[in-house]
Amino acid sequence: MLRLREVHAGYGATPILFGVSLEVRQGEAVALLGKNGMGKTTLMKTAMGFLRPWRGTIEFDGQSLIGLRPHEIARRGVGLVPENRRIFPGLTVRENLELGLSAVRGRSSTLRRERLGQVFDHFPRLRERLDQPGKTLSGGEQQMLAIARVMMAGARIILMDEPTQGLAPAMVRHIREMITELKRLGVTVLLVEQNARMALNVCDRGYIMEKGAIVFEGPAHELRESAITREKLGV
Ligand SMILES: Nc1ncnc2c1ncn2[C@@H]1O[C@H](COP(=O)(O)OP(=O)(O)OP(=O)(O)O)[C@@H](O)[C@H]1O
Ligand SMILES: [Mg+2]
């Protein structure tokens, strides 16, 4: 569904990604693991069109994403839940959700109701807080809102960048259940996580990144057992 081949990218003249190849198939949850500063966020930003790759190809549903702007990529069904869950702090929960929908071409009130219903089924807490400013939500609730926003946009694949960062164990469990639930709904997930154990429990496959390159890939159970995982991640 999403396929990167030999992608090179960086900031200014500084290379960060050195020929990354990675694939996420329809319906899969795939973990992208690696220590700090290895290029995981850069890879997601490149896939989402915030950075233009220097070389290589990026395809979604068999069509190239190269040169498309982030909102065009979003419109095709790719959703990014960025690091530090960037919601709009001054806007209410309702307004944040509406912004997700605003990416959709030809949106109707029926679609709006349908998507909101779906979001509230998953996150009843958000319904209770519709008129509350985003900044007053707890960390876990902000994460829910960030995910709900890409659901509103109708994302078919969600790129999640460290969704459990700074959250209490109960909320980590909640996020984990949510990813399982997204999978059940047919949403495909690429998950960047520091919590490798959680990621490998919820995902089907995983990749390990080191210094801008993929150094290991395999089924989640293999990564769970592998000495390479311990060595590369220090867990
Ligand atoms: N906007 C930027 N300009 C220049 N260099 C950057 C920029 N953003 C990130 N980098 C550098 O790119 C490298 C990879 O960063 P990236 O954020 O992709 O790593 P990461 O794997 O997501 O790390 P973490 O686990 O800490 O989030 C780092 O050396 C970082 O300093
Ligand atoms: Mg990062």
Side-chain angles (χ1 to χ4, degrees):
M1 188 180 205
L2 179 69
R3 175 180 278 154
L4 285 80
R5 277 207 198 111
E6 288 294 315
V7 169
H8 292 250
Y11 302 97
T14 312
I16 301 292
L17 302 181
F18 297 89
V20 172
S21 297
L22 172 150
E23 186 183 0
V24 188
R25 301 185 202 109
Q26 171 111 39
E28 264 190 329
V30 172
L32 178 59
L33 308 172
K35 288 186 183 168
N36 293 120
M38 294 302 174
K40 305 179 300 295
T41 298
T42 303
L43 184 149
M44 285 196 161
K45 289 203 295 208
T46 307
M48 200 62 208
F50 289 105
L51 278 181
R52 198 190 166 106
W54 300 352
R55 275 163 55 196
T57 61
I58 305 177
E59 289 178 351
F60 181 62
D61 281 346
Q63 292 189 312
S64 174
L65 297 182
I66 307 279
L68 297 185
R69 313 253 213 117
H71 72 271
E72 294 168 321
I73 293 177
R75 208 163 262 169
R76 293 199 178 189
V78 184
L80 175 68
V81 178
E83 230 172 350
N84 306 320
R85 38 188 172 268
R86 259 174 255 126
I87 59 157
F88 293 91
L91 300 184
T92 64
V93 168
R94 188 194 305 276
E95 289 163 340
N96 269 281
L97 292 173
E98 294 288 349
L99 274 176
L101 198 64
S102 70
V104 181
R105 196 171 274 158
R107 54 194 175 274
S108 62
S109 53
T110 318
L111 183 75
R112 185 174 171 281
R113 234 176 299 122
E114 205 178 277
R115 296 257 168 97
L116 273 176
Q118 198 183 41
V119 159
F120 294 152
D121 281 348
H122 291 288
F123 309 112
R125 272 205 224 187
L126 292 182
R127 193 208 301 262
E128 296 160 18
R129 289 170 171 74
L130 272 179
D131 296 311
Q132 200 172 314
K135 64 180 166 224
T136 63
L137 297 178
S138 74
E141 289 164 356
Q142 289 187 24
Q143 187 65 56
M144 290 179 197
L145 181 55
I147 294 168
R149 201 174 54 193
V150 295
M151 287 173 74
M152 288 298 287
R156 289 182 290 127
I157 182 168
I158 303 185
L159 316 181
M160 281 192 214
D161 199 349
E162 304 207 24
T164 67
Q165 196 178 33
L167 299 185
M171 198 47 79
V172 173
R173 272 197 302 280
H174 193 86
I175 299 278
R176 184 189 148 157
E177 284 160 17
M178 212 179 52
I179 296 170
T180 311
E181 180 65 16
L182 282 172
K183 271 190 70 181
R184 209 185 50 79
L185 284 173
V187 178
T188 305
V189 176
L190 179 62
L191 174 68
V192 164
E193 256 298 337
Q194 289 297 332
N195 187 339
R197 181 195 297 264
M198 184 280 261
L200 292 174
N201 278 328
V202 73
C203 289
D204 306 296
R205 289 191 303 119
Y207 290 84
I208 299 181
M209 217 174 165
E210 190 174 60
K211 296 183 186 143
I214 302 294
V215 292
F216 194 68
E217 67 172 283
H221 66 88
E222 220 167 85
L223 269 84
R224 276 199 298 268
E225 314 291 314
S226 169
I228 297 173
T229 310
R230 280 190 293 279
E231 179 200 327
K232 299 297 182 194
L233 305 178
V235 293

